[in-house]
Amino acid sequence: MEIFDLYDQDRTSLHKTMVRGEKQPDNTYRIVVHCCVFNSENKMLIQRRQDFKSGWSGMWDVTCGGSAIAGENSQAAVHRELFEEMGINIDFSDIRPALTIHFNDGFDDIYTVNQDIELSDIVLQPEEVAEAKWASKNEILDMIKKGVFIPYHEHLIELLFFIRNRRGAFKYDE
C-alpha cells in the first residue's frame, strides 16, 4: 500500500496523506517525479512498461517516473524511482528539477540527467519495466505519432531535449 503526502496549491504540506487508489480530496495536490537520462549522443534512455502494468500498459515512456511516497521529497522520490525501475543510482541531493508542470492533482517534477550508461548495466524492475533502449528525439516523436509511446505533448519532448544542458528561461551566451 502506497501512501502519498498532500499539499496545498502553494506546495505547502497539509500534514495529511492519502492511499493510492483512493479519491484524492478536493484542493489537495501530490508530488510526481519523472527523470530523463540523456547520453552524449543526444539520446534519451526510455523504457517500455510491462504489458500487465495498469496505466499505459506496454507503452514506451521516459526513463522513469512515479509518485513521491509519504515522507519523501522530490529528490528522494526520483532517486528511488530511477533505482527501482532501472537500477541506476544517481545522487539527486544537489539536483533540482529542470521543469515542474502542474497537473490537476499535483506537481510533476521533471529531472534531466546527462550520463552515458551501457544498456547491459541497467537492471530492470520486472514488475514494471519490460525493456529499455536509447532513442533520439525524432524516434520518440515518431513513436508518439504511432501510438506506442505515452502521448506526451510533442513540444514537451522537444523541450526536454532542448533543456537537457540548460537551466533557466533566458538565453545567455552559451
Side-chain angles (χ1 to χ4, degrees):
M1 170 173 60
E2 286 184 308
I3 299 173
F4 307 136
D5 288 327
L6 295 174
Y7 300 85
D8 68 13
Q9 69 180 6
D10 297 318
R11 204 167 173 158
T12 302
S13 176
L14 295 171
H15 304 287
K16 295 179 181 178
T17 60
M18 67 168 282
V19 175
R20 178 187 288 276
E22 291 182 355
K23 182 181 179 326
Q24 187 166 327
D26 291 340
N27 301 313
T28 66
Y29 306 89
R30 60 189 173 87
I31 295 174
V32 171
V33 295
H34 283 88
C35 184
C36 301
V37 176
F38 294 91
N39 67 13
S40 57
E41 296 177 2
N42 199 28
K43 292 185 174 184
M44 184 192 299
L45 182 61
I46 61 173
Q47 63 156 283
R48 188 174 65 78
R49 298 169 63 86
Q50 286 286 10
D51 291 332
F52 54 79
K53 181 143 176 59
S54 64
W56 309 114
S57 301
M59 296 189 81
W60 287 91
D61 195 359
V62 299
T63 310
C64 79
S67 295
I69 57 175
E72 280 185 327
N73 65 16
S74 177
Q75 287 89 351
V78 74
H79 174 268
R80 177 184 50 77
E81 289 289 346
L82 184 59
F83 187 72
E84 283 179 359
E85 293 183 13
M86 306 293 274
I88 300 170
N89 189 11
I90 295 176
D91 180 5
F92 285 89
S93 59
D94 291 327
I95 301 174
R96 294 186 304 154
L99 187 65
T100 298
I101 297 176
H102 296 193
F103 63 101
N104 288 344
D105 294 329
F107 309 95
D108 192 348
D109 289 340
I110 303 173
Y111 292 80
T112 58
V113 175
N114 296 301
Q115 188 164 337
D116 287 318
I117 298 169
E118 294 293 328
L119 290 176
S120 60
D121 292 336
I122 295 171
V123 180
L124 302 178
Q125 182 182 24
E127 299 83 13
E128 296 207 18
V129 183
E131 62 183 306
K133 68 178 182 177
W134 291 100
S136 69
K137 175 180 68 176
N138 289 336
E139 288 170 321
I140 293 171
L141 294 174
D142 188 52
M143 292 169 81
I144 290 171
K145 287 177 184 156
K146 290 179 178 173
V148 298
F149 202 99
I150 291 177
Y152 293 104
H153 295 289
E154 292 176 14
H155 291 299
L156 175 62
I157 299 299
E158 292 169 350
L159 179 62
L160 292 170
F161 274 84
F162 178 77
I163 65 173
R164 67 175 279 240
N165 290 317
R166 297 172 178 89
R167 293 294 182 259
F170 297 102
K171 182 178 178 183
Y172 296 102
D173 292 333
E174 297 177 357

